Amino acid sequence: MPVLVASDLDRTLIYSAAALALTVPDERAPRLLCVEVYDGKPLSYLTETAARLLAELGDTAVFVPTTTRTREQYRRITLPGPPPAYAICANGGHLLVDGVADADWHARVTARLADECAPLAEVSEHLRSAADPVWVRKHRIAEDLFAYLVVERELLPLDWVKELAVWAENRGWTVSLQGRKIYAVPKPLTKSAAVREVARRTGADLTLAAGDSLLDADLLLAADRGWRPGHGELADTGWTAPTISALPERGVWAGERILREFLRAARPAG
């Protein structure tokens, strides 16, 4: 039976220059591989060691990139190893099969959102009216499924985020602060539901997962085993669970460690 490995990407396996967390002397810094370029500029990296490990993982298990990125944002990434047969985008709103969105899956997701939570238009309007232009840089709607703000983090009042989370909770939405982005995502829009669908289609009897943010918590809990890095929203709040390993490594080093853990768990004993 195949092993399914579902991993968040940003700040879990791949890292922006600002998120690398390289705290060693220059001569000991790892060699990096750029895996994302946008408008002619390199955006995201992993170490060459992590690239090798990821290529091995693609030959060992069913590797499923599982991201809150939109499909367009995900397609900017070129990961080492064989192209994944499945990928999950928009926090579970789109299931890609050989790079093509599964229309039936998306229809099922949107029907559930319509039944179970406040509409996107209401939440988006609240974000626009409640956020202060002093610290908001961009307001975005992603795939007509959820909304997010790009902010100046050093100017952002954390009490505002807490108040937004309470407001959203009462309407069936979740708020997550990740780097310079504040996400507002419907609670029924989950990575875990999409991963369960991939497990059903592939016949996987073991699911492994990794992630760093609140939006990854349901994914980690749905897996048989999960890992979170020593940075990010989950680490900052001390979040854990019986099947979750909280790793001490931060930044790009955590990406390497997570891939080693995936390979160790996915390979048959002996």
Side-chain angles (χ1 to χ4, degrees), residues 89-211:
C89 296
N91 214 63
H94 285 288
L95 173 58
L96 305 188
V97 183
D98 293 326
V100 178
D102 185 312
D104 289 341
W105 173 257
H106 182 62
R108 285 160 56 187
V109 169
T110 54
R112 187 178 177 193
L113 298 186
D115 290 340
E116 298 183 19
C117 56
L120 172 61
E122 177 184 344
V123 175
S124 176
E125 176 56 32
H126 181 78
L127 287 177
R128 288 186 183 277
S129 61
D132 191 332
V134 169
W135 43 262
V136 171
R137 295 297 171 260
K138 297 178 184 178
H139 182 288
R140 293 287 185 264
I141 302 295
E143 301 269 22
D144 290 325
L145 291 169
F146 61 90
Y148 65 92
L149 302 175
V150 180
V151 302
E152 293 292 346
R153 184 68 180 263
E154 63 275 12
L155 301 177
L156 174 67
L158 291 182
D159 285 346
W160 187 88
V161 179
K162 294 176 182 178
E163 292 169 4
L164 175 66
V166 172
W167 182 91
E169 173 77 20
N170 293 332
R171 288 158 180 80
W173 286 63
T174 295
V175 170
S176 174
L177 175 60
Q178 302 178 39
R180 296 179 60 237
K181 294 181 179 178
I182 303 172
Y183 290 92
V185 177
K187 285 188 176 183
L189 185 66
T190 64
K191 294 179 178 181
S192 60
V195 167
R196 289 190 185 97
E197 176 65 12
V198 176
R200 184 189 69 80
R201 295 187 188 193
T202 60
D205 64 348
L206 176 66
T207 298
L208 311 174

